[in-house]
Amino acid sequence: MRAVRPARLVPALLAAALLAGGCSSGGSSDRPAASTPPSSDAAGASAASAARASATPLLPLPAEIPAALAPYYAQQLSWRACDDDFECTTFKVPLDYADPAAGDFTLAAARKPASTRTGGRAELGSLLLNPGGPGSSAVEYMEAVAKGYDPEVRAKYDLVGLDPRGVGRSQPVTCLSNARMDAYTAVDITPDDQSEIDALVASDKEFAAGCAKNAGQVLGHVSTVESARDLEVLRALVGDQKLSYLGKSYGTFLGATYAGLHPTRVGRMVLDGAMDPALDAVAGNRTQAAGFETAWSAFAEDCTGRGADCPLGDDERKAGEQLLALFKQLDATPLPTDSARKLTEAQATTGVIHAMYAEFLWPQLRTAFASAKAGDGTGLLKLSDQYYERDADGGYPNLMYANMAVNCLDLPAPFTTPEQAAAAVPDFERASAHFGRDMAWMALACAYWSVPATGAPHTIAAAGAAPIVVVGTTRDPATPYAWAQSLADQLDSGRLLTYDGDGHTAYGRRNACVDGAVNRYLLGGEAPADGTRCAK
């Protein structure tokens, strides 16, 4: 999803839990897996196809390094011990690749050296990891999941996390105080009258103004294209002839962009939970709304099949009606929690959306629903806080600030006025009866951004690249399966690997078929046949 409050991401800690195999199934093991997600939004699918057809190709950059950039490629990395058994470094890239004399941007990276090294090098070089977002720290992600990777992968690769520009330890973008961020997460995102529209617009404007004030000129140079060019600098600095890369969620967009710009430098690349770069912001948000609707249907089917263990009853349709009734109740009267904060409709929506990312969160959501029905909003507020990575002391990382900064730069705003957002609500609700209205209004956020977008929808062919493995999950809420199909089709060397299941991303979730196919490719270069399918 592009530039909305529950933005396109898999938060770093959630991604770490997924890869470490922490997802004990929250669903019944015998529920049949659909081969493709259901969709009643035919108009939305048609609009997405039209958007793809109008996208322009991303053209590769010249293979030769421009003289003005040569000093950046000549840097020597100095790795130092850090963070308990890891090594950290920093290096410089141009703030503006079009004008290297304008100044430098300092990036931070960390690695877990391969367990088997010869002559100071790993047998297969470096495997760069990115968990998505945009805004999730690749350094923190790598450190969290390093021990969970296949032992052979850890033996033969240095696992490397590079925080993209504006993220984590790489000159992070900040926008609001913690108290104002609390207020931002609570603002009504389904306005019913002009006063509520004005409050939402004021909140979005405050967020944008805070980013402009605190980030300065950095705000105009955190695009995905620039971060992909940074990957190319790091590839050269670690001494690899080709880039080996594993990206999840937004990390697939970053990796695919690299492939499009530097196709002959692509080594072994895995794009898991793929995004479709050819969609404009409206089509992208609408299709993602449909993705969350698909995930809700899977959750509701599972919950209502559990008898007394489901606080939403035993009828899937009525479960959805209860969800909407709860949202309506919270819109009128927020629920008390175990803190001074009350649960608003916006936070409840975020909490439900967060639980759609992974089946291991479904039991927590069931408990939260039961508590909410009893008048206690604590459980749903905790799910919302987990999404935003709010800590126990009320602090927020720069996750959402970087997310908005990158999204608003990568594509023109979906809507530029509240009237446009309001007019789009019916279309969004056809895509998602339970989340469409929220997502239409949330897509207004970039309308007030201080820096104009530098990106546009584009297709990526990456002609001449080695095989690129694109992994898609049939009921992925955040990156709908159709996006993986589209990206694999765009890439000249794309190989689609399908996981028939639920949740966001597939590799590292202890599915022997998916993990085996990816590991064989990473270790031996054996890409799975295009169209390979793995059952739940």
Side-chain angles (χ1 to χ4, degrees):
M1 186 157 27
R2 299 182 183 277
V4 297
R5 293 172 190 240
R8 63 167 190 244
L9 61 90
V10 52
L13 295 181
L14 175 57
L18 288 171
L19 188 60
C23 50
S24 57
S25 174
S28 58
S29 60
D30 58 351
R31 181 167 61 81
S35 60
T36 57
S39 175
S40 59
D41 185 26
S46 176
S49 296
R52 293 185 184 103
S54 64
T56 57
L58 178 66
L59 300 178
L61 292 169
E64 185 176 351
I65 299 170
L69 298 180
Y72 296 100
Y73 285 81
Q75 297 173 86
Q76 297 294 316
L77 294 180
S78 177
W79 295 97
R80 65 188 185 281
C82 69
D83 303 340
D84 299 327
D85 298 328
F86 295 95
E87 295 178 348
C88 294
T89 193
T90 59
F91 62 100
K92 303 286 188 182
V93 292
L95 174 68
D96 183 354
Y97 277 93
D99 182 16
D104 295 336
F105 206 115
T106 301
L107 300 179
R111 71 179 180 184
K112 178 66 173 176
S115 57
T116 302
R117 297 172 69 84
T118 303
R121 286 190 56 81
E123 179 180 336
L124 295 178
S126 297
L127 177 62
L128 271 65
L129 311 177
N130 186 283
S136 290
S137 168
V139 168
E140 292 183 4
Y141 172 75
M142 184 279 297
E143 293 181 352
V145 305
K147 294 181 180 179
Y149 264 73
D150 178 86
E152 282 194 76
V153 174
R154 287 187 283 125
K156 296 185 177 183
Y157 282 102
D158 291 335
L159 300 183
V160 178
L162 168 65
D163 278 350
R165 45 179 68 204
V167 174
R169 304 180 189 182
S170 295
Q171 295 184 220
V173 172
T174 60
C175 302
L176 300 176
S177 68
N178 291 333
R180 294 312 302 159
M181 190 63 183
D182 272 347
Y184 177 83
T185 67
V187 169
D188 190 345
I189 49 177
T190 55
D192 301 311
D193 54 37
Q194 190 59 48
S195 66
E196 291 184 350
I197 292 174
D198 291 344
L200 176 59
V201 169
S203 175
D204 286 339
K205 286 183 175 179
E206 179 189 11
F207 192 102
C211 294
K213 177 182 177 181
N214 294 329
Q217 64 178 345
V218 164
L219 207 60
H221 294 286
V222 293
S223 70
T224 298
V225 166
E226 288 165 309
S227 289
R229 298 191 69 173
D230 297 340
L231 289 177
E232 169 63 3
V233 174
L234 182 57
R235 176 207 59 78
L237 297 185
V238 297
D240 290 343
Q241 293 300 308
K242 306 246 183 200
L243 178 78
S244 292
Y245 177 90
L246 194 154
K248 291 183 170 244
S249 196
Y250 163 79
T252 67
F253 183 41
L254 178 59
T257 301
Y258 176 90
L261 295 175
H262 305 284
T264 61
R265 295 293 191 187
V266 172
R268 296 170 190 177
M269 178 173 284
V270 180
L271 307 177
D272 182 12
M275 290 182 59
D276 184 354
L279 294 181
D280 62 33
V282 175
N285 278 281
R286 272 186 51 141
T287 53
Q288 191 179 52
F292 279 106
E293 190 69 21
T294 296
W296 167 260
S297 295
F299 166 80
E301 180 184 348
D302 174 77
C303 184
T304 55
R306 291 176 174 272
D309 288 339
C310 180
L312 301 177
D314 58 4
D315 185 307
E316 183 179 340
R317 180 181 59 81
K318 290 182 179 179
E321 292 174 356
Q322 289 188 58
L323 177 67
L324 293 177
L326 175 61
F327 288 161
K328 185 176 181 179
Q329 172 192 339
L330 291 167
D331 189 28
T333 309
L335 281 178
T337 68
D338 63 358
S339 70
R341 302 159 67 213
K342 290 189 174 183
L343 174 74
T344 68
E345 179 192 8
Q347 290 160 328
T349 302
T350 303
V352 175
I353 284 175
H354 176 59
M356 296 300 97
Y357 276 88
E359 288 175 275
F360 73 82
L361 292 173
W362 290 4
Q364 186 179 350
L365 180 59
R366 293 196 301 269
T367 300
F369 276 141
S371 296
K373 289 184 71 173
D376 181 3
T378 302
L380 284 171
L381 183 60
K382 285 184 177 178
L383 280 165
S384 176
D385 286 349
Q386 289 168 12
Y387 187 92
Y388 287 110
E389 296 186 11
R390 183 184 189 271
D391 63 31
D393 297 323
Y396 290 85
N398 93 303
L399 171 69
M400 289 298 168
Y401 308 138
N403 186 282
M404 198 79 76
V406 176
N407 284 333
C408 293
L409 204 56
D410 275 351
L411 282 181
F415 310 121
T416 57
T417 67
E419 291 76 17
Q420 289 177 349
V425 166
D427 285 343
F428 273 68
E429 288 185 323
R430 277 189 286 274
S432 173
H434 298 94
F435 310 110
R437 182 179 181 85
D438 307 77
M439 291 191 174
W441 280 105
M442 289 187 290
L444 184 62
C446 285
Y448 311 106
W449 210 245
S450 63
V451 181
T454 56
H458 54 268
T459 56
I460 300 177
I468 298 173
V469 177
V470 179
V471 186
T473 298
T474 55
R475 291 183 297 280
D476 188 317
T479 51
Y481 179 62
W483 291 1
Q485 292 174 303
S486 178
L487 180 59
D489 284 344
Q490 291 172 44
L491 293 166
D492 280 9
S493 61
R495 305 284 185 90
L496 180 62
L497 172 62
T498 297
Y499 171 55
D500 284 330
D502 298 290
H504 184 38
T505 75
Y507 177 63
R509 295 176 61 189
R510 293 185 178 175
N511 180 278
C513 175
V514 173
D515 291 356
V518 171
N519 289 336
R520 284 191 297 273
Y521 170 63
L522 290 176
L523 293 167
E526 178 191 348
D530 187 35
T532 298
R533 303 185 74 88
C534 294
K536 183 175 178 179

